[in-house]
Amino acid sequence: RSIRPGGSSRAPVEKADFTMALAVTASAFAPPQSLACLLCMGGLIIWAGGAAPPEVCASAGESCEAMDDPSLLQSGHRASTLAAGSAHNSIKSEDLLPPLTVPPADPIPPVTGAYGQPRIGVKDEQLSAAEYIEKFVQNVEKVVEVKLNDPGYAFAFNPKKLPGTEYYINSSYPTLFGDEGSVKQPGYGGIQTYTVLNITPSAEGLDVFRVSNDYHPLEHRCGIWWGFTSTYKSSIVDAATNVQICEVPKAVNRCTLTETFTAIVGQGWPLYEDDAKSNNRGCVDPVTGTPTTKGGFVTEFYLNRSKPFDNPPKDDVLQVVFPACQVVDNMKSSELASCVTIDLPTDVATLKEIPDLVSVAANATDPIAKPGGLDFENGLPPSLESLRDHR
């Protein structure tokens, strides 16, 4: 049986049934010695909204705490189910998003190049994401691709060992390849190409940015979707085009990274009107077809295209997907490491006149993460559905 979001007509998942289904699936695709850890790691396999019960792990006679086995990602979609595990056993299985799978299932019908490596055209060259970042992103010392069998690859998709990431594992990573999963594309956001990179900042520190709502506490403005300076050195409408959001943001956030970090880097799927009308985005009134208050002048721009919502991002816009605030919170080598936020003006005319969100972020001083400065130990409450992360 499958775990589905709310509204499913399927029978509830019973633990006994799920144990059997999981054992059959895992044994078909994973080596026998990894099966016990496959059962025990709640971050790799969903167990009715939580980790596998302690008695299952105990009877397996294995400790899975230190396991980061990329072979679990190799064996097809079923054995590589990754996200939506949660230590909050109160979460009902029907409330969970569809699980993240790596590699993702292909779109239906197929889309050329979907879920391959990012390639960025520069003059007559086609650069990889690592090559492009090393050449064109300031304050980067080195970029190394993390391959499927390398340590740390699985961590990029499921950073459960990092305190404070549980909310993202439940509500953000499952939409990595689209608001409704990897198959229903294009038009539903997420990334359509991807790679995993270790990025080493230079001594000056590397800045990444994101826009968000004006949440309080301020650390709720953190998330997994970030971009380089070039993505946000633009107006609100152009930045929204770059990262394919349709709402008017209320805050801009900046993290300065000073140590090597691991991130998923990819190019985004376009956002279409159907998704903007849905509960995923809520930017277009499904009855009137006009912008909601949330969508505002950003959605108005999308709707006023010669073909509504025909506004894809350029191929040199790279999404940088990682829990930046929590990563910064663990950087101890430099006082430069920090994440800060600033509210945007509330007046629409003033918002439309902002030429450059990076310059706005330069004035940010309120901390949302700083080494040892904020407590991310318990993460963000999974009940706060309004915080569901979109890029």
Side-chain angles (χ1 to χ4, degrees):
R1 297 177 184 174
S2 299
I3 294 180
R4 297 285 183 184
S8 172
S9 60
R10 298 194 181 198
V13 176
E14 299 292 339
K15 284 191 175 182
D17 293 341
F18 199 73
T19 306
M20 182 176 295
L22 181 58
V24 171
T25 297
S27 61
F29 291 97
Q33 64 270 25
S34 69
L35 176 56
C37 282
L38 194 64
L39 286 166
C40 295
M41 292 186 68
L44 288 177
I45 293 292
I46 301 170
W47 183 279
E55 61 269 19
V56 174
C57 295
S59 65
E62 294 191 33
S63 172
C64 307
E65 290 301 315
M67 181 180 171
D68 184 12
D69 184 359
S71 69
L72 296 175
L73 300 172
Q74 278 185 291
S75 305
H77 300 150
R78 284 178 287 178
S80 63
T81 301
L82 271 175
S86 169
H88 293 270
N89 291 323
S90 60
I91 298 176
K92 298 177 182 179
S93 60
E94 61 265 26
D95 292 333
L96 292 172
L97 294 164
L100 172 66
T101 63
V102 180
D106 291 331
I108 299 175
V111 176
T112 302
Y115 309 130
Q117 289 268 340
R119 306 299 296 181
I120 301 98
V122 179
K123 295 182 179 179
D124 296 328
E125 292 185 277
Q126 287 289 316
L127 303 180
S128 69
E131 292 169 332
Y132 182 85
I133 292 169
E134 282 195 331
K135 285 188 175 184
F136 294 104
V137 177
Q138 290 186 330
N139 296 343
V140 171
E141 181 178 304
K142 182 173 65 173
V143 183
V144 177
E145 182 182 356
V146 182
K147 298 185 182 297
L148 183 67
N149 292 315
D150 292 344
Y153 187 91
F155 173 85
F157 297 91
N158 181 13
K160 72 175 200 139
K161 296 176 185 175
L162 192 62
T165 58
E166 186 174 16
Y167 175 82
Y168 306 143
I169 291 169
N170 285 318
S171 294
S172 301
Y173 283 95
T175 63
L176 178 66
F177 298 111
D179 287 345
E180 298 193 16
S182 65
V183 174
K184 194 173 183 177
Q185 291 288 11
Y188 286 81
I191 51 175
Q192 63 172 317
T193 64
Y194 70 101
T195 186
V196 177
L197 302 176
N198 282 339
I199 301 174
T200 302
S202 63
E204 295 82 3
L206 171 64
D207 288 340
V208 293
F209 302 84
R210 67 180 261 112
V211 289
S212 70
N213 210 324
D214 53 353
Y215 296 121
H216 287 83
L218 296 178
E219 57 265 33
H220 287 192
R221 302 180 187 190
C222 297
I224 67 170
W225 293 100
W226 298 83
F228 296 120
T229 298
S230 58
T231 301
Y232 287 95
K233 198 171 180 62
S234 60
S235 68
I236 287 176
V237 166
D238 287 342
T241 298
N242 286 340
V243 298
Q244 292 294 283
I245 59 171
C246 55
E247 63 265 34
V248 177
K250 296 182 179 180
V252 59
N253 313 287
R254 183 189 79 240
C255 283
T256 302
L257 299 123
T258 57
E259 300 172 17
T260 301
F261 63 96
T262 301
I264 305 162
V265 176
Q267 296 152 312
W269 283 110
L271 179 67
Y272 289 172
E273 190 171 354
D274 281 350
D275 199 29
K277 287 180 178 178
S278 72
N279 290 332
N280 294 326
R281 303 280 175 156
C283 295
V284 178
D285 187 301
V287 177
T288 65
T290 57
T292 61
T293 301
K294 178 182 179 182
F297 68 88
V298 172
T299 295
E300 184 179 14
F301 173 81
Y302 278 80
L303 288 170
N304 286 341
R305 305 287 289 175
S306 56
K307 180 182 177 183
F309 275 79
D310 184 12
N311 190 41
K314 296 178 181 179
D315 70 349
D316 62 354
V317 176
L318 295 174
Q319 306 290 339
V320 187
V321 186
F322 73 119
C325 293
Q326 285 77 3
V327 169
V328 162
D329 197 50
N330 282 274
M331 290 184 171
K332 311 296 184 186
S333 64
S334 171
E335 293 183 358
L336 286 174
S338 65
C339 295
V340 290
T341 186
I342 186 170
D343 287 355
L344 289 167
T346 57
D347 177 67
V348 172
T350 305
L351 287 171
K352 288 182 175 180
E353 292 300 318
I354 293 174
D356 172 6
L357 286 170
V358 170
S359 64
V360 175
N363 297 316
T365 56
D366 291 330
I368 51 176
K370 191 174 183 180
L374 293 172
D375 180 15
F376 286 103
E377 185 66 36
N378 295 318
L380 300 180
S383 61
L384 294 179
E385 184 60 25
S386 62
L387 298 187
R388 180 170 169 181
D389 197 34
H390 291 300
R391 53 181 180 80

